[in-house]
Amino acid sequence: MSEVEDNVPRHIAIIMDGNGRWAKKQGVPVSSGHKAGVEALGHIVKSCEKHQISVLTLFAFSRENWQRPEKEVSALMSLFSLYLNKEINNLHDNGVRVRFIGSRDNLADKLLKKMEHAEHLTRNNTALTVVMAVDYSGVWDLVQATKSITQAVLSGDVMVDDIDDALLTSHLSLSDIGAPDLCIRTSGE
Ligand code: FPP
């Protein structure tokens, strides 16, 4: 396809939920549900490329997800790491830029290195941007934006009266990308 299709969203966000319910229905462990969720990603990325979607944001691991059983959290981190190992070169070859949003404070060093490598390797790609939200929440985003605005106020670059909707929005993680046009919950909700 050479031209951008009409009525196609520019930015799609996917909340990767329903894995547990799917696994329960199949009579398999929840980790198999998460694995199937990652496998489905391959098809989703291909489809976004085919339809010339600009941005795909994946809400993969929320800050609340740390409350899950330790075994499940560790299985999710392994799946995420494995996905980067297996797919990063393929994504790069297909012109996909990979970005991450969320706190990096609680992630293992080894995983962080893979994330940084993925971001660096793919930084100039323009076909599709895949944003992975890992240890992300809306409140976390507001906290980091507040810190960054406070720094700007303290250094005299921003006056308190300048703080408005636009300024706050410009400090959010996806300020340069903008809000999603379509949000899909894979559970079907
Ligand atoms: C919710 O399912 C899903 C998650 C908590 C994790 C999704 C993340 C991955 C599959 C792995 C890492 C991602 C990438 C980008 C490689 P759930 O157990 O809450 O299911 P439910 O909604 O049926 O309860």
Side-chain angles (χ1 to χ4, degrees), residues 107-162:
L107 300 174
D109 280 350
K110 225 172 146 184
L111 178 60
L112 273 178
K113 291 227 161 63
K114 284 180 195 172
M115 290 162 61
E116 283 161 9
H117 168 70
E119 282 181 321
H120 185 76
L121 178 73
T122 64
R123 67 195 183 286
N124 294 321
N125 293 343
T126 54
L128 164 72
T129 296
V130 173
V131 179
M132 298 189 192
V134 180
D135 199 2
Y136 178 87
S137 76
V139 172
W140 171 84
D141 212 353
L142 288 173
V143 169
Q144 70 76 26
T146 305
K147 283 183 180 167
S148 140
I149 293 170
T150 305
Q151 286 297 347
V153 170
L154 289 175
S155 61
D157 294 334
V158 167
M159 298 291 115
V160 171
D161 282 345
D162 294 337

Side-chain angles (χ1 to χ4, degrees), residues 79-98:
L79 268 177
F80 180 38
S81 182
L82 213 72
Y83 177 80
L84 291 179
N85 285 349
K86 270 178 65 184
E87 296 299 331
I88 194 60
N89 289 333
N90 190 24
L91 290 168
H92 181 48
D93 290 347
N94 285 308
V96 176
R97 181 176 177 194
V98 176

Side-chain angles (χ1 to χ4, degrees), residues 45-112:
V45 170
K46 268 202 194 108
S47 186
C48 285
E49 284 167 346
K50 182 173 166 218
H51 294 284
Q52 297 187 312
I53 305 297
S54 299
V55 186
L56 171 68
T57 294
L58 301 167
F59 288 98
F61 188 89
S62 72
R63 277 175 83 71
E64 293 74 27
N65 287 155
W66 290 114
Q67 310 302 324
R68 294 191 173 221
E70 210 181 311
K71 220 172 138 187
E72 187 179 347
V73 169
S74 133
L76 283 168
M77 291 296 154
S78 301
L79 268 177
F80 180 38
S81 182
L82 213 72
Y83 177 80
L84 291 179
N85 285 349
K86 270 178 65 184
E87 296 299 331
I88 194 60
N89 289 333
N90 190 24
L91 290 168
H92 181 48
D93 290 347
N94 285 308
V96 176
R97 181 176 177 194
V98 176
R99 283 174 59 174
F100 300 95
I101 54 169
S103 169
R104 302 197 179 192
D105 295 348
N106 302 306
L107 300 174
D109 280 350
K110 225 172 146 184
L111 178 60
L112 273 178

